Amino acid sequence: MGLALTLGSCGDPNALTEDRISEIVSEEVRLSPCIEFFGNGPLFAEAYVNNARVEMADFLTGNEPFPVTVAIGGFDNVTGPRFQDFEAAGLLVSKLESEQTGMMGGPVQYRRFDLTDLGRSLYQLGEKKQFRDRPPRKNPLFCAGKGQVSEVVRFIVPSDGQNTTQVTYRWNTVDAGGNIVSALPDQPWANIGKYQSDRLPLEGEGTATLALTNNGWEVMD
């Protein structure tokens, strides 16, 4: 690893060792090999739950997102196609509940979406950090595994009185058995999304700033 430094006593809870850095940062990269169902877009689209309209952002605040009835067509050109992309990938299945004529004269389908067995095996409900002081929002995720720090490349041992330090690290993806995931099958990953942000990374390098708090060392937002 190239760290020819004494990193502190194991008995000191505030000592910043290489193992401790890996543990702290691994929690931050845990969801890196995951695709966010709603990406970075706003969650203003409406869902239909028990025949009542609700904004998707509000629905996700206190509910599991599946099963859910979604309007396909009409004014919505974001949420409906997103559900259909994940259905085409084999992660969701839907059935038609009703069909109506929209305000602009076109058809609007109300389809009830639920997870397939494959979707359920890859699914988890995560939290996405937001800007400034806004609370995290829930977001459905489909994950190829769990991200973990594979190498601490570089960091500076804080001197007395310093309570921050910057870390450079590499991470990779492991499956439930701890085996490294180095490639993805075409199903479902090749069929999810059409944008660069949807191409799932399995490894990478990053930096993080750690700060010493009352709870010990933590990653700064």
Side-chain angles (χ1 to χ4, degrees):
M1 306 280 181
L3 298 180
L5 293 170
T6 301
L7 302 180
S9 168
C10 295
D12 183 356
N14 292 330
L16 195 58
T17 65
E18 188 175 337
D19 287 345
R20 182 64 182 137
I21 289 172
S22 294
E23 180 183 349
I24 295 169
V25 180
S26 285
E27 184 59 27
E28 289 294 307
V29 301
R30 179 174 58 88
L31 300 179
S32 292
C34 299
I35 285 181
E36 298 177 353
F37 188 83
F38 288 105
N40 294 317
L43 299 183
F44 56 78
E46 292 178 328
Y48 294 80
V49 184
N50 297 326
N51 296 318
R53 294 189 179 194
V54 60
E55 285 193 359
M56 189 63 72
D58 294 333
F59 173 67
L60 288 175
T61 299
N63 299 275
E64 285 286 334
F66 302 106
V68 61
T69 300
V70 175
I72 306 294
F75 288 109
D76 177 22
N77 61 358
V78 177
T79 304
R82 191 68 171 167
F83 276 84
Q84 291 175 310
D85 281 347
F86 280 77
E87 182 176 26
L91 298 173
L92 301 179
V93 62
S94 73
K95 64 179 181 180
L96 180 65
E97 291 192 332
S98 64
E99 187 169 356
Q100 301 176 13
T101 300
M103 295 179 62
M104 303 301 292
V108 177
Q109 290 187 346
Y110 295 87
R111 304 194 68 91
R112 189 161 183 82
F113 288 85
D114 204 351
L115 295 165
T116 62
D117 289 341
L118 175 62
R120 198 170 300 279
S121 71
L122 302 174
Y123 165 81
Q124 59 181 290
L125 189 61
E127 287 194 342
K128 179 179 177 61
K129 292 180 180 180
Q130 298 200 80
F131 295 110
R132 298 176 184 173
D133 297 327
R134 301 173 67 183
R137 74 184 190 194
K138 293 184 179 179
N139 198 347
L141 305 170
F142 292 96
C143 301
K146 180 179 71 173
Q148 67 173 19
V149 172
S150 58
E151 180 183 357
V152 176
V153 178
R154 181 173 56 257
F155 84 102
I156 299 174
V157 179
S159 59
D160 290 342
Q162 288 186 319
N163 58 6
T164 62
T165 188
Q166 189 171 69
V167 175
T168 302
Y169 61 89
R170 294 190 179 99
W171 66 273
N172 60 12
T173 301
V174 295
D175 61 19
N179 303 304
I180 295 176
V181 179
S182 57
L184 294 177
D186 286 344
Q187 184 72 9
W189 305 106
N191 300 315
I192 299 178
K194 303 177 179 64
Y195 306 103
Q196 180 69 32
S197 60
D198 289 328
R199 296 176 185 173
L200 193 65
L202 295 176
E203 60 183 12
E205 181 171 310
T207 60
T209 299
L210 304 187
L212 183 60
T213 71
N214 292 334
N215 298 318
W217 288 95
E218 297 180 352
V219 176
M220 292 179 62
D221 294 336

